Amino acid sequence: MRIPLFIEFNGRNVLVIGGGGVGTRRAVKFLLAGANVRVLSLEFSNELMHYAEQGKIELMRGDVNNEELLRKSIEWADLVVIATNDPAINERVREVARDLRKFFNDATNAEETEVVVPFESEINGIRIAVTTEGLSGIVARRTLDKIMNFLREDEELMNMARVWYAVKSRLKEVVSDVRTRLSLYMELDNDEKFNELARKGLVDEALNYVMRRISSRN
């Protein structure tokens, strides 16, 4: 069973098998997340070539059917992305990745993939990721659009997101104990005065209110 997770990829090694359109999109996505990206293929898109010229992506021109090259490349990776149009090659990559206990994202086979790369978006610190796990990418995108439109139209929720971001940032500066901070979060969640300020998006007033509450506890 797949479990939804957000994973930090900064500094992680990502190997992309395939230099076409799908491989390019996956490579750029992980590059922008801060990963070290290598692409193994016989051919590469112009976009990949451009990134390689800038020293941002490493291109390895080679035949995936070369067993030694394939295994050595996968051993380097924390995550393997499979993005070729050859089912036999994709199956072999999955086999080697499993053998070496490496997670893989098969962009060509939703049923076989171990890691799903969902459609995602963000607003005011709220990140939404949607997948239908192969049912339909079109449905997943439309679902994401509906969710994002709903959030944009909810002014009070967007205000609360801004206020809570400011409050949590300040509390992390002034309250070192994690358990104490969690207790404060729960208190504020049930505090009608704070929630009124948050719904209105009154960041400074909410911060002052929280600091007064902390002072009164000491």
Side-chain angles (χ1 to χ4, degrees), residues 83-107:
T84 85
N85 58 6
D86 188 325
I89 288 178
N90 296 342
E91 173 59 27
R92 183 56 189 151
V93 175
R94 291 196 298 267
E95 290 176 356
V96 176
R98 289 190 183 104
D99 183 55
L100 295 175
R101 300 186 66 79
K102 301 289 185 176
F103 281 114
F104 62 85
N105 162 242
D106 190 336

PDB file of all heavy atoms in Angstrom, residues 83-107:
ATOM      1  N   ALA A  83      11.650   6.373 -17.402  1.00  0.00           N
ATOM      2  CA  ALA A  83      10.906   7.200 -18.356  1.00  0.00           C
ATOM      3  C   ALA A  83      11.294   6.891 -19.792  1.00  0.00           C
ATOM      4  O   ALA A  83      11.554   7.792 -20.588  1.00  0.00           O
ATOM      5  CB  ALA A  83      11.136   8.675 -18.051  1.00  0.00           C
ATOM      6  N   THR A  84      11.358   5.620 -20.151  1.00  0.00           N
ATOM      7  CA  THR A  84      11.620   5.254 -21.542  1.00  0.00           C
ATOM      8  C   THR A  84      10.338   4.707 -22.166  1.00  0.00           C
ATOM      9  O   THR A  84       9.390   4.369 -21.452  1.00  0.00           O
ATOM     10  CB  THR A  84      12.728   4.185 -21.671  1.00  0.00           C
ATOM     11  OG1 THR A  84      12.170   2.873 -21.524  1.00  0.00           O
ATOM     12  CG2 THR A  84      13.831   4.392 -20.643  1.00  0.00           C
ATOM     13  N   ASN A  85      10.340   4.591 -23.492  1.00  0.00           N
ATOM     14  CA  ASN A  85       9.160   4.048 -24.177  1.00  0.00           C
ATOM     15  C   ASN A  85       9.328   2.581 -24.540  1.00  0.00           C
ATOM     16  O   ASN A  85       8.599   2.051 -25.372  1.00  0.00           O
ATOM     17  CB  ASN A  85       8.851   4.871 -25.431  1.00  0.00           C
ATOM     18  CG  ASN A  85      10.030   4.895 -26.408  1.00  0.00           C
ATOM     19  OD1 ASN A  85      11.030   4.209 -26.206  1.00  0.00           O
ATOM     20  ND2 ASN A  85       9.909   5.700 -27.449  1.00  0.00           N
ATOM     21  N   ASP A  86      10.302   1.924 -23.884  1.00  0.00           N
ATOM     22  CA  ASP A  86      10.565   0.506 -24.132  1.00  0.00           C
ATOM     23  C   ASP A  86      10.149  -0.305 -22.907  1.00  0.00           C
ATOM     24  O   ASP A  86      10.843  -0.288 -21.889  1.00  0.00           O
ATOM     25  CB  ASP A  86      12.050   0.295 -24.431  1.00  0.00           C
ATOM     26  CG  ASP A  86      12.365  -1.124 -24.884  1.00  0.00           C
ATOM     27  OD1 ASP A  86      11.712  -2.069 -24.386  1.00  0.00           O
ATOM     28  OD2 ASP A  86      13.279  -1.300 -25.707  1.00  0.00           O
ATOM     29  N   PRO A  87       9.026  -1.023 -22.960  1.00  0.00           N
ATOM     30  CA  PRO A  87       8.542  -1.780 -21.797  1.00  0.00           C
ATOM     31  C   PRO A  87       9.566  -2.783 -21.262  1.00  0.00           C
ATOM     32  O   PRO A  87       9.649  -2.998 -20.051  1.00  0.00           O
ATOM     33  CB  PRO A  87       7.296  -2.486 -22.330  1.00  0.00           C
ATOM     34  CG  PRO A  87       6.835  -1.644 -23.468  1.00  0.00           C
ATOM     35  CD  PRO A  87       8.088  -1.129 -24.105  1.00  0.00           C
ATOM     36  N   ALA A  88      10.338  -3.392 -22.145  1.00  0.00           N
ATOM     37  CA  ALA A  88      11.320  -4.383 -21.709  1.00  0.00           C
ATOM     38  C   ALA A  88      12.419  -3.727 -20.883  1.00  0.00           C
ATOM     39  O   ALA A  88      12.850  -4.257 -19.847  1.00  0.00           O
ATOM     40  CB  ALA A  88      11.923  -5.102 -22.919  1.00  0.00           C
ATOM     41  N   ILE A  89      12.881  -2.558 -21.325  1.00  0.00           N
ATOM     42  CA  ILE A  89      13.900  -1.825 -20.573  1.00  0.00           C
ATOM     43  C   ILE A  89      13.347  -1.386 -19.231  1.00  0.00           C
ATOM     44  O   ILE A  89      13.997  -1.521 -18.186  1.00  0.00           O
ATOM     45  CB  ILE A  89      14.402  -0.608 -21.373  1.00  0.00           C
ATOM     46  CG1 ILE A  89      15.277  -1.073 -22.541  1.00  0.00           C
ATOM     47  CG2 ILE A  89      15.184   0.348 -20.467  1.00  0.00           C
ATOM     48  CD1 ILE A  89      15.778   0.063 -23.412  1.00  0.00           C
ATOM     49  N   ASN A  90      12.129  -0.865 -19.240  1.00  0.00           N
ATOM     50  CA  ASN A  90      11.523  -0.396 -17.995  1.00  0.00           C
ATOM     51  C   ASN A  90      11.398  -1.532 -16.985  1.00  0.00           C
ATOM     52  O   ASN A  90      11.654  -1.345 -15.789  1.00  0.00           O
ATOM     53  CB  ASN A  90      10.150   0.210 -18.279  1.00  0.00           C
ATOM     54  CG  ASN A  90      10.235   1.446 -19.161  1.00  0.00           C
ATOM     55  OD1 ASN A  90      11.302   2.048 -19.285  1.00  0.00           O
ATOM     56  ND2 ASN A  90       9.131   1.813 -19.769  1.00  0.00           N
ATOM     57  N   GLU A  91      11.005  -2.694 -17.456  1.00  0.00           N
ATOM     58  CA  GLU A  91      10.884  -3.850 -16.569  1.00  0.00           C
ATOM     59  C   GLU A  91      12.237  -4.231 -16.002  1.00  0.00           C
ATOM     60  O   GLU A  91      12.355  -4.553 -14.807  1.00  0.00           O
ATOM     61  CB  GLU A  91      10.277  -5.029 -17.326  1.00  0.00           C
ATOM     62  CG  GLU A  91      10.260  -6.340 -16.541  1.00  0.00           C
ATOM     63  CD  GLU A  91       9.487  -6.253 -15.234  1.00  0.00           C
ATOM     64  OE1 GLU A  91       8.560  -5.413 -15.143  1.00  0.00           O
ATOM     65  OE2 GLU A  91       9.809  -7.023 -14.305  1.00  0.00           O
ATOM     66  N   ARG A  92      13.276  -4.193 -16.810  1.00  0.00           N
ATOM     67  CA  ARG A  92      14.618  -4.543 -16.321  1.00  0.00           C
ATOM     68  C   ARG A  92      15.093  -3.539 -15.274  1.00  0.00           C
ATOM     69  O   ARG A  92      15.687  -3.928 -14.272  1.00  0.00           O
ATOM     70  CB  ARG A  92      15.615  -4.601 -17.486  1.00  0.00           C
ATOM     71  CG  ARG A  92      17.021  -5.037 -17.066  1.00  0.00           C
ATOM     72  CD  ARG A  92      16.971  -6.377 -16.373  1.00  0.00           C
ATOM     73  NE  ARG A  92      18.255  -6.746 -15.773  1.00  0.00           N
ATOM     74  CZ  ARG A  92      18.384  -7.518 -14.711  1.00  0.00           C
ATOM     75  NH1 ARG A  92      17.308  -8.020 -14.096  1.00  0.00           N
ATOM     76  NH2 ARG A  92      19.575  -7.802 -14.234  1.00  0.00           N
ATOM     77  N   VAL A  93      14.821  -2.275 -15.507  1.00  0.00           N
ATOM     78  CA  VAL A  93      15.210  -1.246 -14.530  1.00  0.00           C
ATOM     79  C   VAL A  93      14.492  -1.489 -13.206  1.00  0.00           C
ATOM     80  O   VAL A  93      15.096  -1.399 -12.132  1.00  0.00           O
ATOM     81  CB  VAL A  93      14.909   0.168 -15.058  1.00  0.00           C
ATOM     82  CG1 VAL A  93      15.207   1.212 -13.976  1.00  0.00           C
ATOM     83  CG2 VAL A  93      15.732   0.460 -16.302  1.00  0.00           C
ATOM     84  N   ARG A  94      13.210  -1.820 -13.265  1.00  0.00           N
ATOM     85  CA  ARG A  94      12.463  -2.108 -12.031  1.00  0.00           C
ATOM     86  C   ARG A  94      13.081  -3.297 -11.297  1.00  0.00           C
ATOM     87  O   ARG A  94      13.221  -3.269 -10.067  1.00  0.00           O
ATOM     88  CB  ARG A  94      10.985  -2.397 -12.348  1.00  0.00           C
ATOM     89  CG  ARG A  94      10.195  -1.192 -12.830  1.00  0.00           C
ATOM     90  CD  ARG A  94       8.689  -1.447 -12.758  1.00  0.00           C
ATOM     91  NE  ARG A  94       8.268  -2.543 -13.604  1.00  0.00           N
ATOM     92  CZ  ARG A  94       7.833  -2.414 -14.851  1.00  0.00           C
ATOM     93  NH1 ARG A  94       7.796  -1.217 -15.418  1.00  0.00           N
ATOM     94  NH2 ARG A  94       7.436  -3.470 -15.540  1.00  0.00           N
ATOM     95  N   GLU A  95      13.441  -4.327 -12.039  1.00  0.00           N
ATOM     96  CA  GLU A  95      14.040  -5.520 -11.421  1.00  0.00           C
ATOM     97  C   GLU A  95      15.340  -5.184 -10.704  1.00  0.00           C
ATOM     98  O   GLU A  95      15.565  -5.610  -9.563  1.00  0.00           O
ATOM     99  CB  GLU A  95      14.301  -6.586 -12.487  1.00  0.00           C
ATOM    100  CG  GLU A  95      13.046  -7.229 -13.054  1.00  0.00           C
ATOM    101  CD  GLU A  95      13.364  -8.198 -14.184  1.00  0.00           C
ATOM    102  OE1 GLU A  95      14.564  -8.292 -14.566  1.00  0.00           O
ATOM    103  OE2 GLU A  95      12.435  -8.862 -14.684  1.00  0.00           O
ATOM    104  N   VAL A  96      16.204  -4.425 -11.364  1.00  0.00           N
ATOM    105  CA  VAL A  96      17.495  -4.074 -10.760  1.00  0.00           C
ATOM    106  C   VAL A  96      17.283  -3.159  -9.557  1.00  0.00           C
ATOM    107  O   VAL A  96      17.931  -3.319  -8.516  1.00  0.00           O
ATOM    108  CB  VAL A  96      18.414  -3.403 -11.795  1.00  0.00           C
ATOM    109  CG1 VAL A  96      19.720  -2.939 -11.133  1.00  0.00           C
ATOM    110  CG2 VAL A  96      18.723  -4.364 -12.939  1.00  0.00           C
ATOM    111  N   ALA A  97      16.366  -2.203  -9.687  1.00  0.00           N
ATOM    112  CA  ALA A  97      16.093  -1.294  -8.571  1.00  0.00           C
ATOM    113  C   ALA A  97      15.587  -2.064  -7.353  1.00  0.00           C
ATOM    114  O   ALA A  97      16.014  -1.806  -6.222  1.00  0.00           O
ATOM    115  CB  ALA A  97      15.085  -0.238  -8.995  1.00  0.00           C
ATOM    116  N   ARG A  98      14.700  -3.006  -7.580  1.00  0.00           N
ATOM    117  CA  ARG A  98      14.205  -3.825  -6.467  1.00  0.00           C
ATOM    118  C   ARG A  98      15.341  -4.643  -5.858  1.00  0.00           C
ATOM    119  O   ARG A  98      15.450  -4.760  -4.637  1.00  0.00           O
ATOM    120  CB  ARG A  98      13.091  -4.752  -6.947  1.00  0.00           C
ATOM    121  CG  ARG A  98      11.777  -4.071  -7.287  1.00  0.00           C
ATOM    122  CD  ARG A  98      10.672  -5.090  -7.510  1.00  0.00           C
ATOM    123  NE  ARG A  98       9.420  -4.465  -7.903  1.00  0.00           N
ATOM    124  CZ  ARG A  98       8.932  -4.461  -9.133  1.00  0.00           C
ATOM    125  NH1 ARG A  98       9.608  -5.067 -10.114  1.00  0.00           N
ATOM    126  NH2 ARG A  98       7.779  -3.874  -9.420  1.00  0.00           N
ATOM    127  N   ASP A  99      16.175  -5.216  -6.712  1.00  0.00           N
ATOM    128  CA  ASP A  99      17.286  -6.031  -6.236  1.00  0.00           C
ATOM    129  C   ASP A  99      18.240  -5.222  -5.380  1.00  0.00           C
ATOM    130  O   ASP A  99      18.766  -5.723  -4.376  1.00  0.00           O
ATOM    131  CB  ASP A  99      18.027  -6.639  -7.432  1.00  0.00           C
ATOM    132  CG  ASP A  99      19.156  -7.558  -7.001  1.00  0.00           C
ATOM    133  OD1 ASP A  99      18.888  -8.498  -6.225  1.00  0.00           O
ATOM    134  OD2 ASP A  99      20.301  -7.337  -7.430  1.00  0.00           O
ATOM    135  N   LEU A 100      18.458  -3.960  -5.752  1.00  0.00           N
ATOM    136  CA  LEU A 100      19.366  -3.091  -5.003  1.00  0.00           C
ATOM    137  C   LEU A 100      18.631  -2.301  -3.918  1.00  0.00           C
ATOM    138  O   LEU A 100      19.228  -1.445  -3.280  1.00  0.00           O
ATOM    139  CB  LEU A 100      20.068  -2.125  -5.968  1.00  0.00           C
ATOM    140  CG  LEU A 100      21.004  -2.785  -6.991  1.00  0.00           C
ATOM    141  CD1 LEU A 100      21.538  -1.745  -7.971  1.00  0.00           C
ATOM    142  CD2 LEU A 100      22.148  -3.506  -6.290  1.00  0.00           C
ATOM    143  N   ARG A 101      17.337  -2.591  -3.727  1.00  0.00           N
ATOM    144  CA  ARG A 101      16.510  -1.951  -2.700  1.00  0.00           C
ATOM    145  C   ARG A 101      16.507  -0.428  -2.853  1.00  0.00           C
ATOM    146  O   ARG A 101      16.690   0.320  -1.890  1.00  0.00           O
ATOM    147  CB  ARG A 101      16.954  -2.371  -1.292  1.00  0.00           C
ATOM    148  CG  ARG A 101      16.866  -3.874  -1.069  1.00  0.00           C
ATOM    149  CD  ARG A 101      17.171  -4.244   0.382  1.00  0.00           C
ATOM    150  NE  ARG A 101      16.154  -3.731   1.290  1.00  0.00           N
ATOM    151  CZ  ARG A 101      14.967  -4.289   1.490  1.00  0.00           C
ATOM    152  NH1 ARG A 101      14.625  -5.380   0.825  1.00  0.00           N
ATOM    153  NH2 ARG A 101      14.106  -3.765   2.356  1.00  0.00           N
ATOM    154  N   LYS A 102      16.275   0.002  -4.084  1.00  0.00           N
ATOM    155  CA  LYS A 102      16.166   1.422  -4.383  1.00  0.00           C
ATOM    156  C   LYS A 102      14.714   1.738  -4.748  1.00  0.00           C
ATOM    157  O   LYS A 102      14.083   1.016  -5.519  1.00  0.00           O
ATOM    158  CB  LYS A 102      17.067   1.799  -5.562  1.00  0.00           C
ATOM    159  CG  LYS A 102      18.542   1.510  -5.348  1.00  0.00           C
ATOM    160  CD  LYS A 102      19.156   2.455  -4.326  1.00  0.00           C
ATOM    161  CE  LYS A 102      20.664   2.226  -4.232  1.00  0.00           C
ATOM    162  NZ  LYS A 102      21.320   3.182  -3.326  1.00  0.00           N
ATOM    163  N   PHE A 103      14.193   2.813  -4.211  1.00  0.00           N
ATOM    164  CA  PHE A 103      12.858   3.240  -4.597  1.00  0.00           C
ATOM    165  C   PHE A 103      12.869   3.697  -6.048  1.00  0.00           C
ATOM    166  O   PHE A 103      13.854   4.273  -6.528  1.00  0.00           O
ATOM    167  CB  PHE A 103      12.378   4.392  -3.719  1.00  0.00           C
ATOM    168  CG  PHE A 103      11.884   3.962  -2.374  1.00  0.00           C
ATOM    169  CD1 PHE A 103      12.553   4.335  -1.218  1.00  0.00           C
ATOM    170  CD2 PHE A 103      10.738   3.197  -2.261  1.00  0.00           C
ATOM    171  CE1 PHE A 103      12.088   3.940   0.029  1.00  0.00           C
ATOM    172  CE2 PHE A 103      10.261   2.801  -1.022  1.00  0.00           C
ATOM    173  CZ  PHE A 103      10.944   3.163   0.125  1.00  0.00           C
ATOM    174  N   PHE A 104      11.768   3.455  -6.755  1.00  0.00           N
ATOM    175  CA  PHE A 104      11.697   3.915  -8.138  1.00  0.00           C
ATOM    176  C   PHE A 104      10.332   4.498  -8.457  1.00  0.00           C
ATOM    177  O   PHE A 104       9.309   4.084  -7.915  1.00  0.00           O
ATOM    178  CB  PHE A 104      12.030   2.794  -9.132  1.00  0.00           C
ATOM    179  CG  PHE A 104      11.094   1.612  -9.091  1.00  0.00           C
ATOM    180  CD1 PHE A 104       9.902   1.615  -9.805  1.00  0.00           C
ATOM    181  CD2 PHE A 104      11.403   0.485  -8.335  1.00  0.00           C
ATOM    182  CE1 PHE A 104       9.042   0.527  -9.771  1.00  0.00           C
ATOM    183  CE2 PHE A 104      10.551  -0.614  -8.298  1.00  0.00           C
ATOM    184  CZ  PHE A 104       9.366  -0.596  -9.023  1.00  0.00           C
ATOM    185  N   ASN A 105      10.363   5.487  -9.326  1.00  0.00           N
ATOM    186  CA  ASN A 105       9.150   6.070  -9.885  1.00  0.00           C
ATOM    187  C   ASN A 105       9.099   5.676 -11.356  1.00  0.00           C
ATOM    188  O   ASN A 105       9.939   6.093 -12.137  1.00  0.00           O
ATOM    189  CB  ASN A 105       9.161   7.596  -9.748  1.00  0.00           C
ATOM    190  CG  ASN A 105       8.164   8.266 -10.689  1.00  0.00           C
ATOM    191  OD1 ASN A 105       8.553   9.039 -11.561  1.00  0.00           O
ATOM    192  ND2 ASN A 105       6.891   7.958 -10.532  1.00  0.00           N
ATOM    193  N   ASP A 106       8.140   4.839 -11.697  1.00  0.00           N
ATOM    194  CA  ASP A 106       7.962   4.443 -13.084  1.00  0.00           C
ATOM    195  C   ASP A 106       6.901   5.355 -13.694  1.00  0.00           C
ATOM    196  O   ASP A 106       5.710   5.190 -13.461  1.00  0.00           O
ATOM    197  CB  ASP A 106       7.540   2.977 -13.201  1.00  0.00           C
ATOM    198  CG  ASP A 106       7.581   2.474 -14.637  1.00  0.00           C
ATOM    199  OD1 ASP A 106       7.485   3.305 -15.553  1.00  0.00           O
ATOM    200  OD2 ASP A 106       7.704   1.251 -14.834  1.00  0.00           O
ATOM    201  N   ALA A 107       7.363   6.340 -14.459  1.00  0.00           N
ATOM    202  CA  ALA A 107       6.449   7.316 -15.052  1.00  0.00           C
ATOM    203  C   ALA A 107       5.627   6.717 -16.177  1.00  0.00           C
ATOM    204  O   ALA A 107       4.704   7.360 -16.684  1.00  0.00           O
ATOM    205  CB  ALA A 107       7.244   8.508 -15.574  1.00  0.00           C
TER     206      ALA A 107
END
